[in-house]
Amino acid sequence: MQDIENISFVALDVETANANMASICQIGLVEYVDGRLVHEWKSYIDPDDYFDGLNISIHGITEETVDGSPTLLDLSDKILSILDGKVAVCHTHFDRVAISQACRRYEIAVPNCSWLDSARVARRTWIDCAWKGYGLSPVSKMLGFQFKHHDALEDAKASAHILIRACKEKGLDIDGWLSRVRGPIIPGVGGSTGIRRGGNPDGELAGEVLVFTGALQICRQEAANFAASVGCQVAPSVTQKTTILVVGDQDISKLAGHDKSAKHRKAAELIAQGAPIRIIGESDFKELVRLTQEYA
């Protein structure tokens, strides 16, 4: 069992106002130093953007909720002071993509930190979530950790709990995990190294079922190859098995939450029924693939 007294990191989570991941409307952070919780912080953020009813249905944050709240630009110095030089933990790369895209939008510095994905950690710790069921909610449920999902601070605490449990379970410290997540899910069992539409089984997004909709800047075939290379199964239509819907950037800006495509509307219906589908824009998808491939 790993002694957690020498484990230090910051876990974070964000919520967004719409499918554009730069539209951060809430952030939550917890900091651990030598295995002890020393700081927690949560803030609503004015995203300088519209609120999509679909996102509101997930996290309950509205334009009225953030009225008078600071923008990410206003909070940039505080966020940098917390994250710079630290290990930043988030569950899957979506929160990292959101921070990166928001910083790019405001033309401010991206935090200079080492990122550690607690989903990657969980997949290499517990065989039950190696290739599916590695989302924040199912892993937390498996570990008996109760939290209010889609509250940024609560989600950050859940990510921290997963990492700490994994450190104890596998006897690895933070440096050990930063190295381990770059290796195969199960040591000695390699996955496919080629691009397959069914998804690279050893890819870090293996288990995700992804669908494209709207006008993309790159051809669908190239986009599908990108998705499959990092593990996604690429499907032609939205079903109950769908976990990610990628929407063309032009559709997001043009529609501004209205007159969505048939696939977008179907995803919204399924989300309302409790399906864990995440909707993101094409540029966010590209950034997600780029950051995921950093570990390859």
Side-chain angles (χ1 to χ4, degrees), residues 239-287:
T239 69
Q240 291 183 341
K241 294 182 179 181
T242 304
T243 58
I244 301 174
L245 178 66
V246 177
V247 183
D249 288 341
Q250 292 182 359
D251 290 63
I252 291 178
S253 59
K254 177 179 65 177
L255 299 179
H258 303 286
D259 301 324
K260 298 180 176 70
S261 70
K263 291 179 182 178
H264 204 152
R265 294 195 301 272
K266 178 64 174 178
E269 293 173 3
L270 291 174
I271 290 172
Q273 297 169 17
I277 300 175
R278 186 184 292 268
I279 299 176
I280 64 175
E282 180 187 359
S283 60
D284 295 328
F285 162 71
K286 292 176 182 176
E287 182 71 359

Side-chain angles (χ1 to χ4, degrees), residues 26-87:
Q26 187 187 46
I27 186 170
L29 295 158
V30 289
E31 182 172 7
Y32 279 77
V33 175
D34 295 331
R36 294 183 301 106
L37 176 63
V38 298
H39 181 224
E40 63 179 59
W41 172 64
K42 177 173 71 173
S43 178
Y44 289 117
I45 297 176
D46 181 349
D48 280 334
D49 208 339
Y50 73 95
F51 278 79
D52 192 306
L54 184 59
N55 292 61
I56 293 173
S57 71
I58 294 172
H59 51 54
I61 302 171
T62 66
E63 186 174 350
E64 290 73 25
T65 306
V66 304
D67 184 35
S69 297
T71 65
L72 189 93
L73 181 61
D74 297 327
L75 294 173
S76 60
D77 287 345
K78 181 177 180 67
I79 294 172
L80 287 173
S81 69
I82 296 174
L83 293 181
D84 270 358
K86 308 287 180 57
V87 172

Side-chain angles (χ1 to χ4, degrees), residues 2 4 7-11 32 87-91 115-122 125-126 136 139-140 143 156-178 181:
Q2 169 67 36
I4 66 169
I7 293 175
S8 300
F9 63 90
V10 178
Y32 279 77
V87 172
V89 176
C90 58
H91 202 80
W115 290 89
L116 179 59
D117 180 352
S118 56
R120 293 176 185 268
V121 170
T125 303
W126 299 285
L136 190 61
V139 176
S140 295
L143 298 179
K157 290 180 178 179
S159 298
H161 180 79
I162 290 169
L163 177 58
I164 290 172
R165 286 285 298 271
C167 288
K168 293 178 178 179
E169 183 85 10
K170 290 297 185 179
L172 292 176
D173 58 13
I174 297 298
D175 287 339
W177 275 116
L178 286 170
V181 295

